[in-house]
């Protein structure tokens, strides 16, 4: 009979190497999570604001007549209730508000409402499923509102979104 050498199965990497690799992968995951969190949060370096020097030894001059500050304006649109494109028996009700950079005529809000209604009627259920679908819907609504208002609509806030 021939001698048959017994081949022992090869062992995997040692426990120390496995622990080191686990630590490397864990550190990489923590770093990637921290970096992506900062990116999504929009954390940037602090912005320095210049401070005007104080007027020392000078008599105070009366301030000019203050005008009311014109700032962002929130307009609540009428609720949008309609059926969506697919499936045709599904209905959507959405209440939105538009943030303008200043006072705008009511006709502009009405035009934006009609444009958003036309957009919602073309939606399909699979387009708005999940968190990413919601984000895409919000981005589409904001883009439509900005185009319709020539850039005066800065943000569209979805107050309620109900699908039946």
């Amino acid at each position: 009979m021939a001698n048959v050498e017994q081949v022992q199965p090869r062992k995997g990497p040692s426990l120390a190497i496995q622990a080191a690799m686990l630590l490397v992968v864990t550190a990489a995951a923590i770093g990637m999570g921290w970096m992506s969190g900062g990116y999504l949060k929009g954390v940037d370096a602090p912005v320095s604001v210049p401070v005007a020097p104080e007027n020392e030894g000078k008599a105070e001059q009366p301030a000019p007549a203050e005008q009311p500050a014109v700032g962002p304006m929130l307009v609540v649109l009428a609720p949008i209730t309609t059926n969506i494109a697919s499936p045709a028996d599904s209905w959507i009700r959405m209440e939105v508000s538009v943030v303008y950079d200043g006072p705008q005529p009511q006709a502009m809000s009405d035009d934006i409402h009609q444009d958003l209604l036309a957009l919602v009627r073309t939606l399909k259920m699979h387009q708005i499923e999940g968190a990413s679908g919601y984000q895409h819907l919000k981005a589409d609504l904001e883009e439509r509102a900005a185009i319709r208002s020539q850039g005066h609509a800065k943000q569209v806030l979805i107050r309620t979104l109900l699908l039946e």
Side-chain angles (χ1 to χ4, degrees):
M1 292 188 122
N3 286 340
V4 178
E5 294 182 24
Q6 294 221 352
V7 179
Q8 293 182 353
R10 187 169 181 190
K11 291 184 180 180
S14 70
L15 187 59
I17 292 176
Q18 288 180 359
M21 292 304 293
L22 178 66
L23 287 175
V24 167
V25 170
T26 302
I30 290 171
M32 287 175 46
W34 179 73
M35 293 292 288
S36 63
Y39 175 75
L40 292 175
K41 201 173 181 184
V43 177
D44 293 334
V47 178
S48 63
V49 178
V51 178
E54 294 181 17
N55 295 335
E56 292 182 17
K58 295 183 180 178
E60 287 188 33
Q61 298 179 2
E66 293 187 22
Q67 298 174 351
V70 178
M73 184 175 176
L74 180 72
V75 176
V76 178
L77 300 181
I80 296 172
T81 305
T82 185
N83 59 332
I84 60 176
S86 175
D89 60 342
S90 294
W91 285 77
I92 186 170
R93 178 179 168 88
M94 184 168 58
E95 295 178 8
V96 296
S97 299
V98 180
V99 178
Y100 292 112
D101 56 0
Q104 300 299 325
Q106 181 62 33
M108 182 180 293
S109 295
D110 294 339
D111 290 342
I112 290 174
H113 180 269
Q114 291 301 315
D115 204 19
L116 298 183
L117 173 66
L119 173 71
V120 169
R121 290 186 61 101
T122 64
L123 292 176
K124 296 182 177 146
M125 184 68 78
H126 68 86
Q127 292 175 320
I128 54 177
E129 288 178 347
S132 63
Y134 173 78
Q135 288 177 338
H136 289 298
L137 173 65
K138 187 167 175 10
D140 290 343
L141 293 173
E142 288 179 351
E143 182 181 3
R144 282 281 185 102
I147 290 170
R148 181 62 70 178
S149 67
Q150 289 90 28
H152 292 292
K154 298 300 179 190
Q155 193 174 13
V156 174
L157 306 173
I158 300 176
R159 296 179 23 223
T160 32
L161 179 64
L162 178 67
L163 288 150
E164 182 180 301

